[in-house]
Amino acid sequence: MYTYPELLDIIAELRSDHGCPWDRAQTHESMIPCLEDECREAIEAIRQKDDENLCEELGDVLLQVLLHARIAEEEGRFTMEDVVNGLAEKMVRRHPHVFGNEEYGSLEQNRKRWEEIKAAEKEEKRRRKDR
């Protein structure tokens, strides 16, 4: 059974000078159709309640994420570790009822608070961009 670090090594090898010509040639833009297709196929597996296919399709979606992160790393833009860290920070920030001391009485309150936090994040990003 492979580990996550081994999977990252496999992706790096595919993109290396002696790796796969198709993988090496890919860019963020060239991979848009692949990402769309893999997401669509995962959604279809969910709708069909096909766990075996869903497991495979989620792997294909993860491959897209890993390849995009690898391309960005090669370009010096960000790494997979940045993606993981950013997601972890976001999940903690957007779940103050789990990781903080806020309490909600309903799913609707939870959804509303999520949207408030998300809007505040977008506003902060806009402000940073305008500086």
Side-chain angles (χ1 to χ4, degrees):
M1 180 165 276
Y2 289 99
T3 66
Y4 176 71
E6 289 171 327
L7 178 58
L8 293 178
D9 290 343
I10 290 167
I11 300 303
E13 185 70 18
L14 289 171
R15 294 273 307 166
S16 73
D17 290 340
H18 54 279
C20 173
W22 185 89
D23 289 295
R24 282 196 325 260
Q26 296 313 300
T27 65
H28 292 300
E29 295 76 17
S30 71
M31 290 179 51
I32 290 171
C34 298
L35 181 57
E36 290 174 332
D37 289 345
E38 298 305 348
C39 288
R40 196 172 13 264
E41 289 170 4
I43 291 166
E44 186 59 28
I46 292 168
R47 287 186 174 137
Q48 293 180 358
K49 299 182 183 347
D50 185 342
D51 287 343
E52 183 178 342
N53 191 32
L54 177 58
C55 183
E56 180 180 342
E57 296 305 335
L58 289 175
D60 292 345
V61 171
L62 179 58
L63 172 62
Q64 295 301 306
V65 172
L66 293 173
L67 283 169
H68 279 283
R70 181 65 194 185
I71 291 167
E73 182 175 354
E74 291 167 1
E75 295 172 351
R77 296 163 66 185
F78 59 84
T79 67
M80 189 62 202
E81 288 77 16
D82 296 325
V83 173
V84 169
N85 185 66
L87 177 58
E89 287 179 350
K90 181 191 296 185
M91 291 300 98
V92 169
R93 198 173 49 247
R94 291 192 184 175
H95 292 86
H97 58 293
V98 175
F99 301 104
N101 57 8
E102 291 187 25
E103 291 186 29
Y104 308 137
S106 70
L107 289 176
E108 180 56 30
Q109 287 174 319
N110 188 311
R111 187 199 59 75
K112 183 178 179 199
R113 185 66 177 120
W114 174 281
E115 292 301 327
E116 290 170 357
I117 294 168
K118 186 175 176 181
E121 290 169 354
K122 285 188 178 197
E123 178 61 22
E124 177 59 27
K125 279 184 184 178
R126 187 192 61 74
R127 277 194 215 124
R128 282 193 312 250
K129 208 176 209 181
D130 291 345
R131 290 181 192 160

